[in-house]
Amino acid sequence: MILNNLKLGVEVVGAHNLLPKDGQGSSSSFVELYFDGQRFRTTIKEKDLSPVWNETFYFNISDPSNLHMLTLDAYVYNNIRASQSRSFLGKITINGTSFVPYSDAVVLHYPLEKRSIFSRVRGELGLKVYVIDDPSIKSSTPISAVNDTQVHSHSAQTPAPKIPRSEVRHTFHHLPNLNHPQQQQQQQAPAVPVPHQGARYIPEEMKVPEPQPPPQLVRMHSATMAQPVDYALKETSPFLGGGRVVGGRVIRTDRMSGCTYDLVEKMHFLFVRVVKARELPAMDITGSVDPYVEVRIGNYKGITKHIEKNQNPMWNVVFAFSRERMQASVLEVVVKDKDLVKDDFVGLCRFDLNEVPMRVPPDSPLAPEWYRLADKKGEKIKGELMLAVWIGTQADEAYPDAWHSDAALSVDTVASTLIRSKVYHAPRLWYVRVNVVEAQDLVPTDKTRFPDTYVKAQIGNQVLKTKPVQARTFNPLWNEDLLFVAAEPFEDNLVLTVEDRVAPGKDEIIGRVIIPLSMVEKRADDRMIHSRWFNLEKPVIVDIDQLKKEKFSSRLHLRVCLDGGYHVLDESTHYSSDLRPTAKQLWRPPIGVLELGVLNAVGLHPMKTRDGKGTSDTYCVAKYGHKWIRTRTVVDNLCPKYNEQYTWEVFDPATVLTVGVLDNTQLGEKGSNGTKDLKVGKVRIRISTLETGRVYTHSYPLLVLHPTGVKKMGELHLAIRFTCTSFANMLYKYSCPLLPKMHYVRPFTVMQLDMLRHQAVNIVAMRLGRAEPPLRKEVVEYMSDVDSHLWSMRRSKANFFRLMSIFTGLFAAGKWFGDICMWKNPITTVLVHVLFLMLVSFPELILPTVFLYMFLIGVWNYRYRPRYPPHMNTKLSQAESVHPDELDEEFDTFPTSRSPELVRMRYDRLRSVAGRIQTVVGDVATQGERLQSLLSWRDPRATALFVTFCLVAALAMYVTPFQVIAALIGIFMMRHPRFRHRLPSVPANFFRRLPARTDSML
């Protein structure tokens, strides 16, 4: 490094949520920078509380060896034009020890500090500070050498503040550099893509003004998150629906923007609707043509299906080309003839993009027109093509069904079907309860023995059996409940088969009955279902006359119903997105509306290799309630922009929205049906953590646990808003049970719930997989957390530490009380004694004091309330320091696929962990059994002593006021250490000598 060329670069990005100082609710702010005797100033941003500068200054470093002793001071001022002065808005101070090279520098948003104790400040200032030694970079001109009129400053009236070295400053440290080149590019590149020079296809009078959005605002959170800042949530301030999000509100600046898409950035597309053609010239020897249309603009093209032997074909398809990625000004629509060797040219139509009109909903759709085809020289030929060409946004009605071209490759009809956005509705699920009561007059094959019978019930792939009954009669009794999951519309029948176990591994069918689920009675409560007798049929009927002769009249006694009073759990209970019962009659009106804007993703990790470089074809899936959404697949892009908005009705605030990012592996030339879509990351947002009416715009890190450890796969930018339609209903929900009534009246066992949830996920995956494009099984399982119940050493540790953190408050209170009893702080102990005696003297003040104390704590914590929804925490999940073998065990298949030696080692480890858990559980049980033995006379002497003590205590408390007894007990517990003994107390010794049931354990 050449020390003479060493400079300090400071990029002033922007400020956020500044304090208004002009008396009109705004401020005209600018920033002054001070470093090593040099001073620079930004331009003034008029009337803007969240200004954006994006200005870079370079300071000379006089003595690089003394850099760690220097500081960078940034002052934010409000310019007062009338009085030619300025007012203070805040400052920050950055120590030289936190300066990093340019490659490690990122934009940080620093909270503004007060200049004095009487200052009022708020907001944050975004800076990117780095040290650079590039000799081509010239230092900026100091403010003292620039004309005051050029910089709008009044430095003569307001001299530079002198900051003493002894002043206490907050030191901010930069984030570590991002390792991935895509992430570095995202941090260093401007937030708005620069339009290509050749993309001049909109007349100036038709252009909609679009303000440039500010760069990403990184909010520095407190250190209590206990995880790397790179894995933390970051707040952004994008332009949505023509306005910028400031303080959770969208400030609209575009009068033409509608309210339908106000949570996404407006994107412009060139739409081309290819309707049909007529009188096409014959190209084959047979006098016909196999036409298809190719829409081309630069390197982008879309192709329709070819229609065989038709001179008047009809397609009626729409193509959409992203405006920001086009590099040409001429659109070509070419008609070609499909051939085995080489497709023949039929004719084309050319359009100058400067003449293409813009359509803004709610305008009516643009009417298609007939255009004469021309040859390659531009001369008119036979044949016409009906087209409509216009420029619109994602609010256009044609957008959902359009075939998008998001990469420099051709998109045919098959591939376009796989990349289009879709909305899916999961089927309504029912629990099927089958109560097998008894059978009558069974006729086994071997009539010399009583049958050993059981009933096998089957719905689709679900098979359950009753317990075998070996009775001394031909009328066995079971009275067992079998539970299944079925989905509307009911396609599978309920098949019950009575079988006889004639030998080990050999069963014979006695009879069966088939019941269509559409004929089964539905119920929404716990009313009794009338039982019915069903005649059993022989599985194979050879001769009807023989059947009548034998008079086969075996019957099966059943109670069958569709239970609609339950909520069918098809996802993890911790992340449920819907808690309503199946029966719609039990549904209550919605309490609000949830809106989700899927903006974009940045810095994605390459999931595949194409043309020698890493790339990804990603799409997003969001799940809430019965509604699933899938955004379009953005092909060959590591920083895709989706900008799609969706809406759900909310029926319960204790529900979770899940958004996942996946890589599409089905876009190969022949498809990749055997390859699963790859997981990129997932985000969960609980509705109850959202404030009503506020727009949350955050960048969520996509964290995935791999066999090698936790890995950040990129960041997903979302905009979320929860709007309450009935505040009273929402508050009432907090008093209602979490699940429907039937879950408490007739609850299921844990084993039943796990089995039913597994079946429900399989049914939902099968139904959604039949849609077009299909939502694949691995996607449904990933979004539903189907493997959350499997064993994991990491999750066990995380749950243990979560449990310990719950009791930290009790431990802290116990330690504080121990310090009081040991008189470590005499003043505090005396005050506690006074408070204790006052509460004992006036016991009616105890409960009011407790509730008042909790009220004050709640009010005090209001200022520290979370401003953003919680996100996945790697520290809490024990994903940072997990052992590689524990990760390998977690990702192992079930049943295991590892070697016997490795499984033996893991089994021994599991035994040691389970042994410690067993010991802790046994100790807790021992204490409870000792409490029970106080009055059980298991130890007659101990019980006699305790009973005698109870009698004496009752008489003493009867004649002594309660206040005196409570005061004596409290003072005795808080007595001075001089009156204490190191040995355990008498009550503790008595309790530990009590017997437990451990001596009865084998």
Side-chain angles (χ1 to χ4, degrees):
M1 180 178 293
I2 304 174
L3 299 181
N4 294 336
N5 294 325
L6 198 63
K7 296 178 178 61
L8 179 69
V10 181
E11 181 180 346
V12 183
V13 179
H16 175 65
N17 195 26
L18 295 178
L19 191 70
K21 282 294 187 73
D22 61 355
Q24 300 177 0
S26 185
S27 293
S28 300
S29 54
F30 63 92
V31 180
E32 284 192 359
L33 304 172
Y34 302 90
F35 176 78
D36 200 9
Q38 304 162 70
R39 180 162 62 106
F40 297 117
R41 180 179 300 170
T42 66
T43 56
I44 299 174
K45 298 297 181 179
E46 301 286 347
K47 304 293 184 180
D48 194 350
L49 293 180
S50 296
V52 177
W53 287 284
N54 284 326
E55 300 179 16
T56 304
F57 304 92
Y58 294 99
F59 293 88
N60 286 321
I61 300 178
S62 57
D63 186 3
S65 62
N66 197 35
L67 181 61
H68 65 284
M69 298 294 294
L70 302 177
T71 58
L72 171 68
D73 300 302
Y75 286 76
V76 185
Y77 293 103
N78 169 50
N79 182 55
I80 306 175
R81 181 175 299 178
S83 59
Q84 301 295 311
S85 61
R86 59 187 180 182
S87 56
F88 178 77
L89 293 178
K91 70 166 186 174
I92 62 172
T93 301
I94 305 176
N95 202 315
T97 56
S98 63
F99 297 158
V100 296
Y102 178 77
S103 59
D104 296 336
V106 294
V107 178
L108 288 182
H109 227 65
Y110 301 94
L112 293 175
E113 305 171 15
K114 297 180 179 181
R115 182 167 53 183
S116 65
I117 193 174
F118 301 105
S119 302
R120 278 188 68 236
V121 300
R122 76 178 188 192
E124 301 165 329
L125 179 63
L127 297 178
K128 182 178 182 181
V129 184
Y130 50 87
V131 177
I132 191 168
D133 62 341
D134 189 352
S136 62
I137 296 179
K138 304 299 181 183
S139 299
S140 305
T141 305
I143 195 171
S144 57
V146 182
N147 193 327
D148 289 345
T149 59
Q150 294 178 354
V151 296
H152 306 283
S153 67
H154 306 280
S155 57
Q157 300 179 11
T158 309
K162 297 181 180 180
I163 305 174
R165 295 282 184 177
S166 60
E167 182 181 353
V168 179
R169 299 181 174 92
H170 295 280
T171 301
F172 297 96
H173 297 276
H174 285 280
L175 290 172
N177 64 314
L178 302 176
N179 296 325
H180 198 277
Q182 292 291 338
Q183 297 175 357
Q184 294 178 359
Q185 180 181 0
Q186 173 65 19
Q187 294 292 340
Q188 298 169 9
V192 182
V194 180
H196 298 289
Q197 295 179 358
R200 296 179 63 248
Y201 47 85
I202 302 179
E204 293 297 330
E205 63 273 9
M206 300 181 64
K207 285 188 177 180
V208 180
E210 295 186 5
Q212 291 188 351
Q216 177 178 340
L217 303 181
V218 183
R219 182 179 297 276
M220 297 186 62
H221 301 296
S222 62
T224 56
M225 297 184 65
Q227 67 172 347
V229 183
D230 195 34
Y231 293 167
L233 205 63
K234 301 174 185 176
E235 186 174 6
T236 60
S237 183
F239 279 97
L240 304 180
R244 191 169 71 185
V245 178
V246 178
R249 306 289 178 181
V250 178
I251 301 179
R252 192 167 304 283
T253 59
D254 190 350
R255 59 180 178 85
M256 300 182 66
S257 297
C259 59
T260 306
Y261 291 89
D262 61 341
L263 290 185
V264 293
E265 298 179 7
K266 185 166 59 175
M267 300 177 64
H268 285 86
F269 294 88
L270 173 66
F271 292 96
V272 181
R273 181 184 295 275
V274 181
V275 184
K276 57 184 177 179
R278 66 184 179 187
E279 299 179 0
L280 295 179
M283 303 298 293
D284 299 335
I285 302 177
T286 58
S288 183
V289 63
D290 303 329
Y292 70 90
V293 176
E294 181 180 281
V295 182
R296 296 186 306 200
I297 177 168
N299 294 328
Y300 302 91
K301 63 180 179 180
I303 304 174
T304 67
K305 293 182 179 179
H306 76 279
I307 301 178
E308 296 184 358
K309 302 185 184 306
N310 195 330
Q311 292 181 288
N312 299 291
M314 177 175 290
W315 295 280
N316 196 24
V317 295
V318 180
F319 294 93
F321 299 89
S322 178
R323 161 184 167 179
E324 65 178 17
R325 304 191 68 176
M326 290 188 294
Q327 299 181 354
S329 59
V330 176
L331 169 69
E332 292 185 349
V333 183
V334 185
V335 181
K336 292 186 177 182
D337 174 39
K338 188 71 174 179
D339 206 343
L340 294 176
V341 181
K342 184 180 180 181
D343 298 344
D344 298 326
F345 175 83
V346 178
L348 62 81
C349 297
R350 286 192 176 94
F351 296 88
D352 186 355
L353 295 186
N354 293 305
E355 305 298 330
V356 174
M358 174 176 285
R359 175 176 177 254
V360 179
D363 292 349
S364 299
L366 193 66
E369 302 179 22
W370 286 103
Y371 293 91
R372 285 284 301 275
L373 295 178
D375 56 15
K376 295 181 179 179
K377 298 180 180 180
E379 298 180 358
K380 300 298 182 181
I381 61 174
K382 181 183 178 183
E384 292 180 304
L385 188 62
M386 179 177 282
L387 298 171
V389 183
W390 73 96
I391 292 174
T393 65
Q394 65 264 49
D396 201 292
E397 291 88 348
Y399 177 82
D401 296 323
W403 297 351
H404 293 270
S405 298
D406 281 313
L409 48 87
S410 63
V411 179
D412 57 11
T413 54
V414 177
S416 181
T417 303
L418 295 174
I419 68 174
R420 278 188 284 180
S421 59
K422 287 294 179 182
V423 175
Y424 305 84
H425 281 275
R428 193 153 61 117
L429 302 177
W430 292 78
Y431 283 140
V432 183
R433 187 185 296 271
V434 182
N435 179 241
V436 183
V437 183
E438 59 181 333
Q440 187 179 68
D441 299 333
L442 295 181
V443 183
T445 305
D446 185 3
K447 299 182 180 179
T448 62
R449 53 178 286 276
F450 290 105
D452 183 9
T453 56
Y454 65 91
V455 177
K456 182 175 73 174
Q458 181 174 1
I459 299 179
N461 297 326
Q462 307 174 64
V463 179
L464 294 176
K465 299 179 182 179
T466 65
K467 295 179 180 179
V469 174
Q470 192 172 11
R472 296 293 179 180
T473 177
F474 293 100
N475 304 319
L477 176 65
W478 293 281
N479 196 22
E480 286 188 36
D481 270 352
L482 304 179
L483 290 169
F484 300 88
V485 179
E488 291 183 344
F490 303 114
E491 299 176 349
D492 299 317
N493 296 326
L494 171 62
V495 181
L496 295 109
T497 307
V498 181
E499 300 187 10
D500 179 19
R501 183 164 295 172
V502 296
K506 183 180 180 182
D507 300 332
E508 291 185 355
I509 299 177
I510 297 179
R512 70 177 182 182
V513 59
I514 301 176
I515 305 174
L517 290 180
S518 57
M519 306 298 294
V520 175
E521 183 180 0
K522 299 178 181 178
R523 70 173 183 180
D525 51 18
D526 196 32
R527 62 184 174 85
M528 180 61 68
I529 296 295
H530 297 291
S531 61
R532 289 180 56 190
W533 287 94
F534 294 87
N535 293 327
L536 292 175
E537 301 176 357
K538 279 195 172 183
V540 179
I541 299 177
V542 180
D543 189 354
I544 298 180
D545 296 333
Q546 183 68 20
L547 176 64
K548 293 180 179 179
K549 184 179 179 180
E550 292 181 357
K551 296 181 179 180
F552 185 77
S553 59
S554 299
R555 297 191 302 173
L556 189 62
H557 193 193
L558 301 172
R559 290 188 183 91
V560 185
C561 70
L562 292 168
D563 263 332
Y566 293 92
H567 167 67
V568 180
L569 297 168
D570 59 342
E571 52 195 340
S572 175
T573 53
H574 301 293
Y575 315 122
S576 294
S577 62
D578 188 13
L579 300 171
R580 293 174 295 173
T582 302
K584 290 187 176 180
Q585 301 92 313
L586 302 178
W587 291 6
R588 294 187 176 273
I591 62 172
V593 175
L594 176 65
E595 298 169 274
L596 170 68
V598 185
L599 301 180
N600 63 315
V602 296
L604 294 181
H605 186 77
M607 305 300 293
K608 59 171 69 77
T609 302
R610 181 182 293 136
D611 298 331
K613 67 174 183 178
T615 186
S616 292
D617 308 323
T618 56
Y619 63 92
C620 296
V621 176
K623 176 190 186 303
Y624 187 78
H626 291 172
K627 182 178 176 181
W628 295 61
I629 66 97
R630 168 178 174 161
T631 67
R632 60 192 177 93
T633 300
V634 181
V635 183
D636 194 17
N637 199 329
L638 295 179
C639 294
K641 290 187 176 182
Y642 307 101
N643 284 311
E644 298 183 19
Q645 184 170 341
Y646 299 93
T647 304
W648 288 269
E649 286 186 333
V650 177
F651 292 87
D652 198 307
T655 48
V656 177
L657 167 71
T658 305
V659 184
V661 183
L662 298 106
D663 180 75
N664 197 332
T665 61
Q666 316 302 317
L667 300 181
E669 295 182 359
K670 298 182 180 179
S672 304
N673 294 327
T675 307
K676 296 182 178 181
D677 287 354
L678 303 177
K679 308 168 187 176
V680 180
K682 184 164 52 179
V683 175
R684 301 190 193 99
I685 301 167
R686 187 169 294 273
I687 308 303
S688 59
T689 62
L690 304 177
E691 298 178 9
T692 57
R694 179 179 176 183
V695 179
Y696 291 85
T697 54
H698 290 89
S699 172
Y700 295 83
L702 299 173
L703 304 177
V704 177
L705 191 65
H706 289 278
T708 57
V710 66
K711 187 174 183 179
K712 180 179 178 181
M713 306 296 290
E715 295 183 358
L716 179 64
H717 292 218
L718 300 177
I720 303 165
R721 177 171 57 205
F722 170 56
T723 306
C724 179
T725 56
S726 177
F727 189 73
N729 289 342
M730 183 174 66
L731 295 183
Y732 174 72
K733 271 294 180 182
Y734 282 90
S735 64
C736 297
L738 191 64
L739 293 172
K741 177 182 177 181
M742 286 294 291
H743 284 272
Y744 307 98
V745 175
R746 297 190 65 178
F748 297 133
T749 64
V750 176
M751 296 296 294
Q752 285 178 322
L753 285 177
D754 288 341
M755 183 269 296
L756 293 172
R757 180 165 56 244
H758 178 71
Q759 299 296 343
V761 172
N762 288 336
I763 292 176
V764 172
M766 181 188 65
R767 289 292 180 89
L768 296 181
R770 286 157 50 177
E772 186 61 36
L775 205 58
R776 297 172 62 86
K777 182 179 180 180
E778 63 268 17
V779 178
V780 177
E781 291 180 348
Y782 179 55
M783 299 293 291
S784 302
D785 290 285
V786 70
D787 57 349
S788 61
H789 65 286
L790 296 180
W791 159 260
S792 168
M793 181 73 76
R794 175 189 59 84
R795 276 197 289 261
S796 299
K797 290 181 179 178
N799 290 334
F800 173 76
F801 286 113
R802 287 174 55 201
L803 183 63
M804 294 301 296
S805 65
I806 295 298
F807 296 103
T808 53
L810 294 178
F811 296 154
K815 184 178 181 301
W816 173 83
F817 185 73
D819 294 341
I820 293 296
C821 295
M822 299 303 295
W823 287 71
K824 287 193 174 182
N825 190 335
I827 298 178
T828 305
T829 304
V830 171
L831 292 177
V832 170
H833 278 76
V834 173
L835 177 63
F836 172 73
L837 293 176
M838 183 178 65
L839 293 178
V840 168
S841 302
F842 304 97
E844 64 275 7
L845 297 180
I846 296 178
L847 288 180
T849 303
V850 171
F851 285 108
L852 180 61
Y853 180 68
M854 291 190 292
F855 168 77
L856 294 177
I857 291 178
V859 172
W860 177 262
N861 289 337
Y862 178 78
R863 58 186 298 188
Y864 305 108
R865 67 191 185 278
R867 298 289 185 170
Y868 51 90
H871 189 52
M872 299 176 185
N873 193 307
T874 57
K875 185 69 174 180
L876 180 67
S877 306
Q878 296 293 310
E880 292 180 345
S881 58
V882 61
H883 194 273
D885 184 70
E886 295 177 1
L887 283 176
D888 183 73
E889 180 184 21
E890 183 172 346
F891 283 91
D892 191 10
T893 57
F894 187 85
T896 181
S897 59
R898 299 297 186 264
S899 63
E901 294 79 10
L902 187 59
V903 174
R904 180 176 179 178
M905 184 273 293
R906 291 175 179 172
Y907 174 66
D908 292 339
R909 180 178 61 192
L910 182 60
R911 287 178 63 188
S912 65
V913 174
R916 291 193 293 268
I917 297 175
Q918 168 186 293
T919 302
V920 173
V921 174
D923 291 342
V924 175
T926 297
Q927 308 308 320
E929 291 169 353
R930 285 172 176 168
L931 286 175
Q932 293 178 348
S933 66
L934 283 172
L935 298 174
S936 64
W937 295 92
R938 180 161 184 154
D939 184 341
R941 287 166 295 277
T943 304
L945 289 173
F946 184 71
V947 170
T948 304
F949 170 77
C950 291
L951 177 62
V952 174
L955 295 176
M957 291 183 180
Y958 183 76
V959 299
T960 308
F962 172 77
Q963 291 87 339
V964 175
I965 296 176
L968 292 176
I969 294 176
I971 293 175
F972 175 78
M973 294 181 63
M974 294 184 292
R975 66 191 184 277
H976 197 275
R978 181 179 302 174
F979 305 105
R980 295 179 181 272
H981 300 283
R982 294 185 178 183
L983 296 178
S985 62
V986 173
N989 295 332
F990 179 79
F991 183 77
R992 290 171 183 172
R993 290 177 178 274
L994 292 174
R997 303 180 67 181
T998 52
D999 51 351
S1000 300
M1001 297 281 294
L1002 289 176

